[in-house]
Amino acid sequence: MRRLMALLGDPQERLRIVHIAGTNGKGSTAVMTAAILSAAGLRTGLTVSPFITDFCERIQIDGAPIAHEALAREMTRIAPLAEQVGGMTEFELITAAAYSYFADSGCSAVVAEVGLGGRFDATNVISRPLVSVITRIGLDHTDVLGSTPGEIAFEKCGIIKPGVPVVTCGKQDPDALAVIMEECAKRGCTLISGNPGAVREVQSGLDGTDFIYQGMRLHLPLIGNHQITNAVTAITAAGQALPALLGRLPDERTIAKALAGVHVPARFEIVQRNPLVIIDGAHNPQAAGALADALTLLGDQPVTGVIGVLADKDSTGLLRALAPRLARVLCVTPESPRALGAHELAVRADAVGLRASAAHSIDEALELAQAVASAQGGAIVVCGSLLFASQVRARFADVG
C-alpha cells in the first residue's frame, strides 16, 4: 500500500485527516464527525465501509458520493500503478482512490473510517492525522484481531501516532480502555474521552433523539442510546480537530445543524411504517445488545426478526442478545458465499429459546413477516449483517 501511495505522490500527506477505528459505532461516528466539519465550513471528505446502496458511497465529499465517472477516472489512473506493485486488494485500491480524489478536490479535512482493525489497515498509511479516534471495542473478527477486547484494542491502537491526540468513547470496554491508555502513554498522546455524564434530558422516539449535551440542545435523527454515545464521540473528535483547522471550537449552532441533518442507512432505519419495518446492520453481540435496547421504544409490540448472518460471526451471541425483544425469528441465508445457512441459524436460534423457522429467500421471509406483523399489530426488525441489511433494504423502493 505504501508503495502504491508513493507512486501516486503520497496524496494522503497533503490531507488533514481524522482517523476512526473501532468495532461498533465507527461508521456512525465518522458520518457525524464529517457532518460537523462540513457544517463548520470545511470541504470535508469521508470514507465509509461497507456501502449500503451504491459503491460510490464509500468516497464522499460534504455528504455527496463520488460520481461514477470520477471514480472510473481515479481507478483508470491507479490501475497501471497497482499492476506495478501487484497483489493489491479492492479495499487498498479504493482507499488509494479516495485519498487521491480528496487531495485533487481540495478537501480541507478528511474523515477516514478504518476497514478492519487498524494496525495493518489500508487507511493507516497516514503519517500524522489530526486526531485518532477509537470507538467502542467488542468481539468481532476474532480470527484476525484477537479473542479478547484487550487484544482487539491493541490492533485498533495501530492508528495512534506519536503526539497526536486520541479520542475514545465514554463507555469503552474496561480492558480495551486499559490498552488504549497504555498505547497513548507509550506514544506521548493525550487521551480524551467523550463525556456521556454530561448528557441529560434525553427524549427518544421513532423520529429520533433529543438531548442536552454540555448545555447544547441537540436533535439526532438516529435512534438508540448508543447513537448518543457516538454523537458525543463525534463532537469530541471535531472539538480536537477544528482548532487545528480553523483556530476555533465548533459552536452549538454548527453542531446542532450537523447532527440534525445526519442520515446513516441501515442503523435502526425505518423503511416502512405500516407495518413498521426497521433495518439495522447489527452483526455482533455488542451491536445486537444496542439494537435490543433501542427496540424497547416499541413497548409491548410483538417484534418479528428477519435475520441473516455470515458464517464467521458469533450468531449465537447475537441471537442471545436479541432474544428478550423478539417474538419469533425468520432465518434467511444472505446472498453471499460467506453466509451461514438459514436452517443452521434456525437451529441456533431455537437453542437460545427463540421461536424460529427458516425461509427459502429474503422475499419469502419478508412476505411472511409482514403478514404476521399486520395480523398482530407488530413490527419487523431486519438485522444480522450490513450486507444482509443492504440486500433487504433494496426491496423497499422509496428508501433514499
Side-chain angles (χ1 to χ4, degrees), residues 14 18 23 45 58 86 95 150 157 195 218 264 282 288 299-300 344-345 355-356:
R14 307 200 304 271
V18 176
T23 305
R58 294 176 67 167
T95 300
C157 285
N195 182 15
L218 304 171
V264 189
D300 294 331
E344 175 59 27
L345 183 61
R355 181 186 175 195

Side-chain angles (χ1 to χ4, degrees), residues 28 32 205 207-209 219-224 227 262-264 267:
S28 296
M32 287 188 257
D207 293 320
T209 308
H219 173 74
L220 187 63
L222 301 175
I223 299 166
Q227 292 292 10
V262 162
H263 174 63
V264 189
R267 274 71 164 189

Side-chain angles (χ1 to χ4, degrees), residues 137-188:
I137 301 297
L139 297 181
D140 202 0
H141 300 291
T142 53
D143 56 327
V144 177
L145 301 179
S147 59
T148 68
E151 291 174 348
I152 293 171
F154 179 76
E155 294 302 321
K156 307 290 185 184
C157 285
I159 70 168
I160 296 175
K161 302 297 191 299
V164 173
V166 176
V167 169
T168 193
C169 65
K171 295 183 178 180
Q172 188 59 270
D173 177 273
D175 292 337
L177 181 59
V179 172
I180 295 168
M181 292 173 68
E182 181 180 356
E183 293 302 310
C184 285
K186 286 179 181 176
R187 292 167 175 76

Side-chain angles (χ1 to χ4, degrees), residues 9 113 139 169 173 197 223-224 235 244 249 251 261 291 297-298 322 333 339 354 374 379 381 383 393 396:
E113 179 191 353
L139 297 181
C169 65
D173 177 273
I223 299 166
I235 293 167
L249 290 167
D251 56 25
L291 173 58
L297 288 172
L298 303 185
L322 289 169
T333 305
L354 281 162
S374 296
V381 62
C383 63
R393 192 176 185 271
F396 293 86

Side-chain angles (χ1 to χ4, degrees), residues 308-327:
V309 303
L310 300 181
D312 61 344
K313 301 300 180 183
D314 181 6
S315 54
T316 298
L318 178 143
L319 291 164
R320 188 176 289 117
L322 289 169
R325 289 299 307 144
L326 300 182

Side-chain angles (χ1 to χ4, degrees), residues 90-132:
E90 177 189 277
F91 188 77
E92 287 171 332
L93 293 176
I94 198 67
T95 300
Y99 287 154
S100 174
Y101 177 67
F102 294 149
D104 290 346
S105 299
C107 286
S108 305
V110 168
V111 178
E113 179 191 353
V114 166
L116 174 65
R119 186 171 307 279
F120 301 111
D121 190 72
T123 61
N124 201 27
V125 291
I126 311 160
S127 62
R128 188 174 178 82
L130 283 172
V131 188
S132 301

